[in-house]
């Protein structure tokens, strides 16, 4: 089967599962068009969307042939059903065949009209159209928000098959990819199946021809009653569960095994099928027969480059099959892998730029991406000195990049590169760089732990001792101070002044205390002398 046509058939067959649980109550096909009736109470907008979701549109009744189809579809029903005719925001036009209305296909081409006699020409008249058996399928103006009994959908196909002729005593039932099963069809769209009774032979409409079952196993299990597999020569074949055998006439149905099962002796792990006049083992799709002729091993379906052809889609092999998944940075939307805009979740500290399948962070001026965390930013200078990054509410609260120190200059703060080499961080040779430094070793030595030089055992290897390109040390020894103190320079000046004042005050108070103590001592001594003199004079008088 041609891969492109096979894909088209698979897409048509998938439509039934996309209706959202609404099954058609009937249908009819003629020429290259099919029509389906849905008995589901809906307003006009919902009915239009339901048809659109099935790759169709509300029915257009452009000819008397289409009008006759209405009687086929609605002959046994009651109530009004939406058709694809409505009026945009304009007034009716009595001179036009459609009276100013247009089809949902956005055109007004029509060889037929069937309005009710009491057509309302007011600009405020009702804007949507329905038909009903009670009004002989005449076109009736109706409020678009009203709930009709149902709606009619129309589908257009290419590669239609003509209906099969019925032999005496035979009937043919057609199942279309649009979900309705009918006996009377003039044509059938690709993907339709025809079941002839009582023989139970099945056919698939494909490329304007009816292909007998079993057909490609990927389409409705090849038409098999039980399961379908491909023989080693890639020919589709039906098989039956244990205890049953394949009907040799229609090659799709299973019958009760009347004689001893010839497959029992083969001990097939998965499938036993008839191969000419004998039986052989084979495997389900996604597996291949092992060397013992009985066991089945997984086949990597992803080896086929045709699997998962969608852009940004990846094939993942699974036991017995495969799965199509989206690449990292993509998600599924309407069956396609589309880029995910990671920037909406704010992963970057400064700026985020969405890219195909990923994103990229960038930083404001004076910063660069942190090598240790790609979504973070850190201060960066890249030269000997740069203006410091200061708090706008506190000009003395400033910060510098790693490897720089802050210095007050002319009322502003600047960051000056530190010369780490002057502190002896490297054991032998050191080269200062902006914001960092690099250690080197002399010939005959190799650098260890980023700062130590160890004598090399390989004397012939001169290049290992002193590389031409400096290697920045990530963990220097001893650990240098790469970030300025948390105390701003202005605060440091204040601390010094405060300390000096405090010392002067302590000295002053100590001096006062010493003076007072001396004065107290002198006063006590003076009083003692006066007391002694008084006693001396008293004794002398008594004498």
């Amino acid at each position: 089967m041609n891969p492109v046509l096979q894909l088209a058939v698979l897409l048509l067959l998938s439509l039934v599962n996309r209706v959202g649980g609404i099954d058609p109550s009937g249908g009819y096909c003629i020429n290259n068009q099919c029509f389906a009736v849905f008995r589901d109470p809906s307003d006009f907008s919902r009915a239009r969307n339901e048809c659109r979701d099935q790759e169709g549109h509300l029915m257009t009744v452009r000819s008397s042939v289409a009008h006759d189809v209405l009687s086929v579809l609605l002959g046994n029903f009651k109530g009004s059903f939406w058709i694809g005719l409505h009026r945009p925001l304009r007034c009716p036009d009595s001179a036009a065949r459609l009276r100013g209305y247009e089809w949902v296909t956005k055109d007004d081409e029509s060889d037929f009209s069937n309005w009710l006699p009491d057509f309302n020409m007011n600009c405020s008249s009702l804007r949507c159209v329905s038909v009903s058996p009670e009004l002989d399928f005449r076109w009736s103006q109706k409020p678009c928000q009203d709930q009709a009994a149902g709606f009619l959908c129309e589908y257009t196909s290419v590669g239609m098959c003509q209906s099969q002729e019925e032999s005496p005593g035979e009937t043919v039932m057609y199942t279309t990819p649009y979900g309705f099963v009918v006996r009377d069809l003039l044509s059938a769209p690709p993907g339709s199946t025809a079941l002839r009774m009582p023989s139970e032979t099945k056919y698939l409409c494909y490329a304007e021809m009816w292909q007998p079952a079993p057909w490609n196993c990927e389409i409705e299990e090849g038409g098999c009653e039980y399961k379908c597999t491909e023989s080693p020569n890639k020919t589709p074949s039906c098989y039956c569960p244990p205890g049953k055998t394949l009907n040799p006439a229609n090659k799709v149905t299973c019958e009760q095994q009347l004689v001893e099962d010839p497959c029992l002796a083969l001990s097939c792990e998965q499938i036993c099928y008839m191969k000419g006049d004998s039986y052989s083992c084979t495997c389900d799709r996604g597996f291949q027969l092992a060397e013992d002729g009985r066991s089945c091993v997984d086949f990597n379906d992803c080896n086929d480059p045709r699997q998962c052809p969608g852009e940004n889609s990846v094939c993942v092999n699974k036991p017995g099959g495969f799965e199509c998944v989206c690449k990292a940075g993509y998600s599924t939307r309407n069956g396609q892998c589309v880029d995910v805009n990671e920037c909406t979740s704010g992963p970057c500290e400064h700026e985020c730029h969405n890219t195909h399948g990923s994103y990229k962070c960038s930083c404001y001026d004076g910063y660069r991406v942190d090598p240790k965390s790609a979504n973070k930013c850190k201060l960066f200078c890249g030269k000997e000195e740069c203006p410091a990054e200061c708090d706008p509410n506190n000009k003395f609260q400033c910060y510098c990049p790693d490897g720089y120190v802050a210095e007050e200059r002319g009322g502003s703060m600047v960051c000056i590169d530190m010369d780490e080499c002057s502190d002896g961080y490297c054991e032998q040779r050191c080269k200062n760089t902006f914001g960092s430094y690099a250690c080197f070793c002399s010939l005959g030595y190799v650098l260890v732990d980023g700062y130590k030089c160890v004598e090399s055992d390989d004397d012939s290897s001169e290049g290992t001792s002193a590389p031409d390109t400096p290697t920045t040390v990530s963990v220097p020894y001893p650990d240098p101070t790469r970030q300025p103190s948390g105390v701003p320079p202005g605060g440091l000046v204040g601390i010094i002044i405060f300390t000096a004042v405090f010392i002067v005050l302590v000295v002053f108070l100590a001096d006062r205390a010493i003076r007072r103590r001396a004065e107290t001592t002198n006063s006590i001594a003076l009083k003692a002398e006066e007391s002694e003199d008084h006693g001396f004079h008293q004794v002398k008088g008594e004498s």
Side-chain angles (χ1 to χ4, degrees), residues 290-429:
E291 294 182 358
D292 61 9
R294 298 189 305 271
S295 305
C296 294
V297 294
D298 180 51
F299 172 78
N300 189 350
D301 301 85
C302 294
N303 288 334
D304 186 348
R306 295 172 298 178
Q307 308 289 23
C308 305
E311 189 176 4
N312 302 315
S313 181
V314 178
C315 179
V316 178
N317 187 61
K318 291 189 172 183
F322 66 96
E323 181 182 5
C324 295
V325 299
C326 294
K327 296 178 181 177
Y330 294 84
S331 64
T332 304
R333 186 184 303 165
N334 297 327
Q336 302 291 327
C337 291
V338 297
D339 177 55
V340 174
N341 187 358
E342 295 87 353
C343 292
T344 57
S345 61
C348 300
E349 185 176 19
H350 284 186
E351 294 179 328
C352 180
H353 309 277
N354 188 54
T355 61
H356 291 296
S358 186
Y359 67 96
K360 184 178 181 180
C361 295
S362 62
C363 301
Y364 302 142
D365 291 341
Y367 292 81
R368 68 174 177 181
V369 176
D370 190 342
K372 298 179 180 179
S373 181
N375 62 334
K376 301 291 184 181
C377 293
K378 59 184 300 184
L379 286 169
F380 176 70
C381 179
K383 50 187 177 180
E384 187 171 355
E385 64 178 57
C386 297
E389 187 76 16
C390 298
D391 188 337
N393 300 315
N394 183 0
K395 65 178 182 178
F396 295 110
Q397 188 70 34
C398 300
Y399 302 94
C400 290
D402 290 346
Y404 288 78
V405 292
E407 179 180 289
E408 188 173 9
R409 184 183 299 172
S412 62
M413 303 300 296
V414 295
C415 298
I416 301 176
D417 176 51
M418 296 170 54
D419 185 6
E420 293 88 351
C421 293
S422 62
D423 294 326
Y425 289 167
C426 300
E427 192 171 69
Q428 289 189 358
R429 298 164 57 192

Side-chain angles (χ1 to χ4, degrees), residues 1-8 206:
M1 185 178 283
N2 183 287
V4 177
L5 292 177
Q6 177 182 332
L7 179 60
Y206 167 73

Side-chain angles (χ1 to χ4, degrees), residues 504-524:
V504 170
L505 181 61
V506 169
V507 172
F508 174 76
L509 293 175
D511 180 72
R512 288 288 303 275
I514 293 172
R515 287 177 179 273
R516 285 184 179 182
R517 185 173 182 180
E519 290 174 358
T520 302
T521 303
N522 293 336
S523 176
I524 294 174

Side-chain angles (χ1 to χ4, degrees), residues 85-164:
L85 190 61
H86 69 136
R87 178 170 56 84
L89 295 175
R90 60 178 180 235
C91 294
D93 182 3
S94 59
R97 182 183 291 274
L98 296 184
R99 309 275 179 93
Y101 284 68
E102 69 178 24
W103 303 113
V104 290
T105 52
K106 299 186 182 300
D107 68 89
D108 57 3
E109 295 181 6
S110 185
D111 298 328
F112 178 82
S113 66
N114 195 25
W115 293 104
L116 284 171
D118 58 347
F119 184 87
N120 189 342
M121 292 296 299
N122 291 330
C123 294
S124 59
S125 61
L126 307 178
R127 297 177 44 238
C128 293
V129 177
S130 67
V131 296
S132 65
E134 293 84 355
L135 296 177
D136 198 24
F137 310 113
R138 305 295 290 270
W139 298 354
S140 174
Q141 294 165 294
K142 191 176 180 71
C144 298
Q145 66 272 18
D146 274 12
Q147 295 282 315
F151 53 92
L152 298 153
C153 292
E154 176 182 330
Y155 316 94
T156 302
S157 299
V158 294
M160 303 275 281
C161 295
Q162 297 300 311
S163 59
Q164 295 189 11

